[in-house]
Amino acid sequence: MHSKRTIFLSNLRFFDADFQQGILDGCPLLLGIIPFGITCGIIGLTAGLTPSETLFMSLLVFAGAAQFIAITMLGTGLTGIGLITLTTLLVNARHMLMGASLAPYMSNQTRPQQLLLSFLMTDESYAITISHTYRHSYSFSYQLGTSLCFYIIWNLSTLAGVLAGSYILDPLSWGLDFAMPATFLVLLLPRLKDFVSITVSITAAILAVIGAVYLPGKLYMIASCLGSVLVASLLEGAKKYAK
């Protein structure tokens, strides 16, 4: 047990170059995260949660979209833990796909490291980490730096929302929420290098738009992910067969 703890702690090189670079690469996305965190704190109080409950949700759950949905359900009087849990699991099902793509790299880490990175993984940290991995190589310190950056800022933003209370009615009206999709586009565009990647991206976009119109809740995200993965599998299979 002692040796495992020693190995785990020795690999947490908090101030190495990769860790610092992970933080720096995550900074541009903070403009989009901060208003959502503030909003989370405000609507938590609006839904009837106490300041402590709102803060602990961000600390222990750390899933923006799932938190918004859970808080909304609680605010409408739904208290069934089973229904809330199922709904948030469906919303976060995309994390299975993100985790699967990082599995070949994270499998070389210790179990405590895998659990830590899995808990801290978000859409933003995944996008930055996988982009860095393709451009350079995978780094545990890099992913940890990026993930911790988002975790700390998200919780500080939630705290700001709780403290601000009713003084900030609609922080998303600032327009800063566009920073996140804009940054994702910047990360995506360099990856569009061939027919398969372009086709898969277009498929995902079309399915997401159609799903957002016709599917309830956040199911459009799952439909878009599954549909684009299916198309990618078919195209990659056809390409290998042609060879």
Side-chain angles (χ1 to χ4, degrees):
M1 179 66 69
H2 177 71
S3 60
K4 291 182 178 180
R5 186 182 298 111
T6 302
I7 293 173
F8 174 62
L9 292 176
S10 66
N11 286 330
L12 294 179
R13 296 183 284 271
F14 288 109
F15 299 105
D16 69 2
D18 283 344
F19 184 86
Q20 296 176 39
Q21 190 61 49
I23 295 176
L24 291 175
D25 290 348
C27 285
L29 275 73
L30 296 181
L31 287 176
I33 292 175
I34 291 173
F36 279 102
I38 294 174
T39 303
C40 183
I42 293 174
I43 68 170
L45 299 181
T46 304
L49 298 179
T50 66
S52 297
E53 290 171 340
T54 304
L55 292 174
F56 272 112
M57 177 178 281
S58 282
L59 285 168
L60 301 179
V61 178
F62 187 46
Q67 287 181 233
F68 276 99
I69 291 174
I71 290 174
T72 301
M73 295 176 73
L74 290 171
T76 57
L78 293 174
T79 57
I81 187 170
L83 180 59
I84 295 176
T85 301
L86 177 61
T87 303
T88 53
L89 282 175
L90 288 175
V91 171
N92 282 337
R94 67 191 186 281
H95 283 241
M96 297 175 62
L97 298 174
M98 294 189 292
S101 69
L102 284 175
Y105 311 103
M106 292 176 62
S107 61
N108 296 323
Q109 311 304 315
T110 65
R111 183 56 58 85
Q113 289 173 332
Q114 293 175 9
L115 293 174
L116 175 61
L117 293 180
S118 297
F119 169 72
L120 293 173
M121 186 170 64
T122 61
D123 300 309
E124 297 82 9
S125 63
Y126 166 78
I128 293 177
T129 298
I130 201 67
S131 178
H132 179 272
T133 300
Y134 287 147
R135 286 186 286 108
H136 304 288
S137 61
Y138 177 78
S139 169
F140 166 78
S141 296
Y142 181 90
Q143 184 178 358
L144 181 64
T146 299
S147 301
L148 279 178
C149 175
F150 293 139
Y151 180 75
I152 292 171
I153 295 302
W154 173 258
N155 282 283
L156 289 177
S157 300
T158 303
L159 174 61
V162 168
L163 294 177
S166 60
Y167 294 104
I168 303 178
L169 299 179
D170 186 13
L172 295 185
S173 63
W174 304 338
L176 295 178
D177 51 308
F178 183 71
M180 277 199 288
T183 306
F184 276 122
L185 287 175
V186 172
L187 293 171
L188 172 65
L189 290 177
R191 305 300 308 165
L192 304 179
K193 297 179 178 180
D194 53 32
F195 174 76
V196 173
S197 60
I198 293 175
T199 303
V200 170
S201 297
I202 293 175
T203 300
I206 293 174
L207 290 176
V209 172
I210 295 175
V213 174
Y214 294 105
L215 295 178
K218 302 293 182 178
L219 289 179
Y220 69 90
M221 292 189 293
I222 301 174
S224 176
C225 288
L226 294 179
S228 57
V229 167
L230 176 60
V231 171
S233 300
L234 293 174
L235 292 177
E236 288 290 348
K239 186 166 64 173
K240 292 180 179 178
Y241 181 77
K243 293 179 179 179

